C-alpha cells in the first residue's frame, strides 16, 4: 500500500478557503487548475476528512477517571424521563413567520426543571449530555439544570471542555456536599474544592447556620480573587443580620470597587447598621420641609462634593455620562438611608402623605426614584405601596414610581397574592400594552384574578381586530404562567373570529392560532405535572 504523506498543518483551512472562493480563483496545493479542479478538491477534502477523524497519534494511555459519584435521589418516573428527552430534543426554529399551534417545548423546559428539582428527582444518566448542552446554550437554564444534574455534572465537565461552565457555575444542590457537622470535610472542601463546590458549600451552610458560613468565609477572605470575593459576599444576602455588620464594615475597605459597593449595599439593607446611620445623617441634611411656600413642600439641597467618607460608604463619585454629579450623589445617599428616618424628618407624616407632597425645583423624580430603590433594597412593603399608588394611576408611574420598571421592582416586595391583585387591576384599567414588565414579577402559576384579567384583555384585543403579534410577548408569558386549569375556559377563543372592517388583514387567523397554541400548551403543562407526580 502506498504511503500517505503527512498533511500540512493548515491543509484543512486551505481546502475550506478554496471551496469558499471557488477553484477558478484559488486552487488548493497539489491540485492543477482546470475543469477537473473541483473534483480534485472534493477528493482531497474526503481524504482529509478521514484523516482528521481517524488520525490519532500514538500516546501513553491516560489514567482512567474515577467513577461518577452515586446520586441517591429517587429516579424520574418513566413518563417524566421520556418527556425530558422530548424537551431536550426540541430546538427553536430558525425562521420567521407563524409559530403554528404546537407548544414551544424549549420554553417549557425551565418550568419542568423547577418542578423536578422541587420533587427531588435525580437526572437520568443517559440524558445528562443533552441537558448540559442545553444549559451551555442558555445561561438562564444553568442553575436549575446543574441542580438537577447533581454532582455528575461536575464529573462530566472535567471530561468535556464544552461543559466547562459547570465548573464555575453554582450547582445549588449538589449531592456530595459534606454536612455542616463534618468539620474536617467542610474545611477540606472549602480549601481544595472547585469554585462551584465552594459556592454551593457556603450557600448550604449559610442557609442553616449564617454565623458559621461567615466565619468560614473569613478564614480565606484575604487570599481570594476579587471576582470570587464578590460571589462569596453575595451569599451573605441569605440570612443577612446585624451579626454580619463587622465583617461587612471591613469589606468596605476592600481593594475591589465592586466588593466595596456590594458590602455597602448589604449594610444599607440593615437599618440599624452604622453605615445606614451615617447615610441617614447625610441624606437628612439634603431633604427638609419648606414652610415658606403656599403649601407644604419638600426642599432638596443636593451635596456639593463627594468626600472620602462618602466614597468609603459606597457612594460612586463619578457620575454616568449625561448625569449631573450632584443629583447622582444625592440619589445614592437617599437610596442607602433607612426609610424609617423620613417620617420623623418630614413632620411625622406617613409614607403615603410624604410621597404626596410636592417637591421643589424639579427634584421630585430624583427623590422618589431613590425612595423606590430604598424600598426594594430594604424590602419595605409599606413604602412600596405608597410609591406604587393605585393601579388606576397613569401607566408611566404612580405617585412616586417614575417608570414601569420601578413599579415592577416595587411589586417584588409585596406578597404574591397582593402582587397579582394589583397587576390584575392595572390590566383592567390600562390593558396589556404596558403590563408586560409587571407580569414578569408575578408568581407562577398566575393567581385566578390575574389569569382572568390577562385572558379578558387578550379577548378584547382579539375582538377589536388588533395586531396579534403586538401581544406575542404576553401570549408567550401566558403559555408559561397561566394556570393550566384555565384551558377549558379558553376553548371558545380557538375559533377564527369574524373580522370587522377596521381589523388587521388576517388577524383573526393569527388570533385563533395563538389561542389554540395557548390551550395545547396549558394541557401539556398539566400532563407534565402529572408525570412528575404533582397532584
Amino acid at each position: 500500500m502506498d504511503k500517505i504523506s503527512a498533511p500540512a498543518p493548515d491543509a484543512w483551512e486551505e481546502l475550506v478557503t478554496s471551496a469558499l472562493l471557488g477553484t477558478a480563483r484559488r486552487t488548493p496545493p497539489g491540485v492543477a487548475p482546470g475543469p477537473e479542479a473541483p473534483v480534485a478538491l472534493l477528493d482531497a477534502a474526503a481524504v482529509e476528512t478521514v484523516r482528521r477523524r481517524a488520525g490519532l497519534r500514538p500516546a501513553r494511555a491516560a489514567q482512567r477517571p474515577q467513577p461518577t459519584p452515586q446520586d441517591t435521589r429517587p429516579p424520574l418516573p418513566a413518563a417524566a424521563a421520556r418527556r425530558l428527552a422530548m424537551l431536550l430534543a426540541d430546538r427553536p426554529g430558525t425562521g420567521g413567520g407563524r409559530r403554528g399551534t404546537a407548544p414551544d417545548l424549549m420554553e417549557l423546559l425551565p418550568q419542568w426543571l423547577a418542578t423536578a428539582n422541587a420533587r427531588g428527582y435525580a437526572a437520568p444518566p443517559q440524558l445528562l449530555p443533552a441537558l448540559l448542552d442545553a444549559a451551555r446554550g442558555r445561561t438562564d437554564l444553568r442553575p436549575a439544570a446543574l441542580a438537577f444534574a447533581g454532582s455528575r455534572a461536575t464529573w462530566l465537565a472535567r471530561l468535556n471542555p464544552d461543559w466547562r461552565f459547570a465548573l464555575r457555575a453554582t450547582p445549588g444542590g449538589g449531592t456530595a456536599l459534606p454536612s455542616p457537622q463534618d468539620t474536617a470535610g467542610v474545611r477540606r472542601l472549602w480549601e481544595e474544592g472547585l469554585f462551584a463546590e465552594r459556592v454551593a458549600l457556603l450557600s448550604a451552610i449559610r442557609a442553616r447556620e449564617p454565623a458559621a458560613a461567615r466565619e468560614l468565609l473569613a478564614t480565606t477572605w484575604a487570599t481570594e480573587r476579587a471576582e470570587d470575593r464578590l460571589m462569596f459576599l453575595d451569599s451573605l444576602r441569605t440570612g443577612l443580620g446585624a451579626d454580619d455588620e463587622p465583617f461587612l464594615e471591613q469589606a468596605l475597605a476592600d481593594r475591589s470597587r465592586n466588593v466595596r459597593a456590594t458590602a455597602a449595599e448589604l449594610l444599607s439593607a440593615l437599618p440599624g447598621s452604622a453605615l445606614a446611620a451615617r447615610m441617614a445623617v447625610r441624606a437628612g441634611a439634603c431633604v427638609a420641609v419648606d414652610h415658606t411656600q403656599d403649601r407644604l413642600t419638600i426642599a432638596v439641597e443636593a451635596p456639593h462634593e463627594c468626600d472620602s467618607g462618602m466614597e468609603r460608604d459606597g457612594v460612586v463619585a463619578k457620575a454616568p455620562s449625561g448625569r449631573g454629579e450632584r443629583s447622582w450623589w444625592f440619589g445614592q445617599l437617599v437610596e442607602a438611608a433607612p426609610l424609617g428616618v423620613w417620617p420623623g424628618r418630614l413632620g411625622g407624616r406617613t409614607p403615603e402623605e410624604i410621597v404626596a407632597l410636592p417637591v421643589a425645583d424639579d427634584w421630585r423624580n430624583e427623590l422618589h426614584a431613590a425612595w423606590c430603590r430604598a424600598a426594594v433594597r430594604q424590602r419595605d412593603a409599606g413604602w412600596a405601596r405608597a410609591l406604587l399608588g393605585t393601579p388606576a394611576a397613569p401607566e408611566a408611574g404612580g405617585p412616586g414610581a417614575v417608570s414601569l420598571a420601578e413599579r415592577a421592582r416595587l411589586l417584588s416586595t409585596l406578597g404574591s397574592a397582593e402582587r397579582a391583585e394589583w397587576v390584575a387591576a392595572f390590566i383592567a384599567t390600562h390593558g396589556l400594552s404596558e403590563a408586560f414588565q409587571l407580569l414578569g414579577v408575578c408568581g407562577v402559576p398566575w393567581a385566578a384574578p390575574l389569569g382572568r384579567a390577562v385572558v379578558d384583555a387578550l379577548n378584547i384585543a382579539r375582538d377589536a381586530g388588533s395586531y396579534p403579534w403586538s401581544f406575542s410577548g404576553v401570549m408567550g408569558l401566558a403559555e408559561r404562567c397561566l394556570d393550566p386549569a384555565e384551558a377549558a375556559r379558553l376553548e371558545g377563543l380557538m375559533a377564527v373570529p369574524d373580522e370587522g372592517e377596521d381589523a388587521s388583514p388576517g388577524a383573526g387567523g393569527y388570533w385563533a392560532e395563538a389561542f389554540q397554541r395557548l390551550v395545547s400548551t396549558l394541557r401539556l403543562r398539566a400532563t407534565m405535572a402529572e408525570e412528575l407526580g404533582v397532584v
Side-chain angles (χ1 to χ4, degrees):
M1 184 174 67
D2 294 337
K3 182 178 179 181
I4 299 176
S5 60
D10 57 352
W12 182 255
E13 287 73 13
E14 288 285 349
L15 293 173
V16 171
T17 302
S18 298
L20 291 173
L21 296 177
T23 54
R25 298 176 60 188
R26 178 169 180 170
T27 56
V31 176
E36 299 299 322
V39 176
L41 172 64
L42 293 176
D43 289 343
V47 171
E48 184 61 22
T49 297
V50 174
R51 192 196 305 273
R52 285 161 60 87
R53 289 178 177 175
L56 293 175
R57 294 178 179 273
R60 292 183 178 277
Q63 183 179 1
R64 288 185 177 183
Q66 293 295 317
T68 178
Q70 287 294 321
D71 196 332
T72 58
R73 295 174 296 178
L76 271 178
R82 290 192 295 270
R83 181 70 61 191
L84 176 60
M86 293 174 60
L87 296 176
L88 293 172
D90 186 66
R91 291 292 181 268
T94 56
R98 299 167 81 143
R99 283 181 52 195
T101 60
D104 188 343
L105 299 185
M106 278 299 289
E107 288 304 313
L108 296 180
L109 183 56
Q111 192 171 115
W112 188 97
L113 288 170
T115 305
N117 284 330
R119 303 290 292 178
Y121 289 123
Q126 70 275 15
L127 295 180
L128 287 176
L131 181 63
L132 289 172
D133 280 341
R136 180 184 62 171
R138 286 183 54 178
T139 56
D140 62 307
L141 283 178
R142 290 182 183 178
L146 294 178
F148 185 53
S151 57
R152 289 177 173 176
T154 304
W155 186 88
L156 286 170
R158 293 191 182 101
L159 305 176
N160 187 342
D162 288 343
W163 302 329
R164 193 168 295 159
F165 67 87
L167 301 178
R168 293 288 298 173
T170 304
T175 58
L177 296 179
S179 67
Q181 292 73 30
D182 182 5
T183 306
V186 167
R187 176 67 62 181
R188 182 168 56 253
L189 183 59
W190 179 248
E191 294 178 351
E192 302 174 7
L194 297 169
F195 177 76
E197 295 169 333
R198 300 180 71 210
V199 171
L201 176 66
L202 188 66
S203 299
I205 297 177
R206 181 70 179 179
R208 298 187 183 96
E209 301 179 37
R214 185 184 62 250
E215 292 166 4
L216 180 66
L217 177 57
T219 61
T220 59
W221 178 260
T223 61
E224 303 287 357
R225 299 188 308 169
E227 56 266 36
D228 292 350
R229 291 200 305 277
L230 184 62
M231 288 288 291
F232 291 142
L233 192 63
D234 200 60
S235 70
L236 298 188
R237 296 181 189 277
T238 301
L240 182 66
D243 291 342
D244 297 316
E245 183 177 358
F247 181 85
L248 294 173
E249 277 283 346
Q250 292 180 359
L252 289 175
D254 196 271
R255 56 187 180 274
S256 166
R257 184 180 68 180
N258 290 334
V259 171
R260 295 196 301 271
T262 300
E265 178 189 347
L266 293 173
L267 283 168
S268 67
L270 296 172
S273 68
L275 179 139
R278 295 192 295 269
M279 288 301 196
V281 171
R282 293 171 180 135
C286 299
V287 180
V289 174
D290 184 356
H291 295 277
T292 64
Q293 304 292 329
D294 293 338
R295 57 180 297 196
L296 289 177
T297 302
I298 294 178
V300 171
E301 179 66 27
H304 291 271
E305 65 173 346
C306 181
D307 58 37
S308 59
M310 289 166 60
E311 287 195 67
R312 181 183 180 276
D313 284 346
V315 176
V316 178
K318 184 175 177 57
S321 177
R323 182 79 180 273
E325 284 187 332
R326 294 183 65 199
S327 66
W328 172 244
W329 300 331
F330 171 73
Q332 294 179 80
L333 295 181
V334 174
E335 176 183 356
L339 288 164
V341 307
W342 297 114
R345 177 69 178 166
L346 300 175
R349 292 174 173 83
T350 65
E352 288 79 6
E353 293 169 335
I354 290 173
V355 299
L357 290 174
V359 182
D361 301 326
D362 296 325
W363 281 101
R364 178 182 182 275
N365 285 350
E366 190 69 53
L367 176 61
H368 287 186
W371 277 336
C372 286
R373 296 192 297 273
V376 173
R377 180 182 294 188
Q378 298 170 35
R379 311 305 297 173
D380 192 311
W383 270 87
R385 293 187 188 97
L387 291 160
L388 274 167
T390 65
E395 300 96 319
V402 296
S403 68
L404 283 169
E406 290 284 356
R407 278 187 148 182
R409 286 189 282 271
L410 289 168
L411 282 168
S412 69
T413 68
L414 306 181
S416 179
E418 184 179 0
R419 200 182 315 166
E421 182 180 351
W422 197 97
V423 177
F426 179 93
I427 292 171
T429 303
H430 304 291
L432 289 170
S433 58
E434 302 291 342
F436 186 78
Q437 293 184 76
L438 306 181
L439 287 169
V441 300
C442 292
V444 178
W446 289 335
L450 178 57
R452 286 194 295 270
V454 171
V455 172
D456 290 345
L458 287 171
N459 192 19
I460 291 171
R462 167 184 176 270
D463 290 344
S466 303
Y467 287 105
W469 41 92
S470 300
F471 299 90
S472 59
V474 174
M475 190 67 79
L477 273 179
E479 292 172 15
R480 299 188 295 276
C481 304
L482 197 62
D483 191 328
E486 295 289 322
R489 197 167 68 88
L490 294 169
E491 289 181 352
L493 303 177
M494 296 167 61
V496 178
D498 296 331
E499 294 186 3
E501 294 181 0
D502 298 331
S504 305
Y510 275 94
W511 278 112
E513 197 173 82
F515 278 111
Q516 290 167 20
R517 183 174 59 251
L518 175 57
V519 171
S520 62
T521 301
L522 294 179
R523 288 173 175 162
L524 176 58
R525 284 175 51 209
T527 301
M528 288 166 43
E530 292 175 2
E531 292 169 348
L532 287 166
V534 178
V535 179

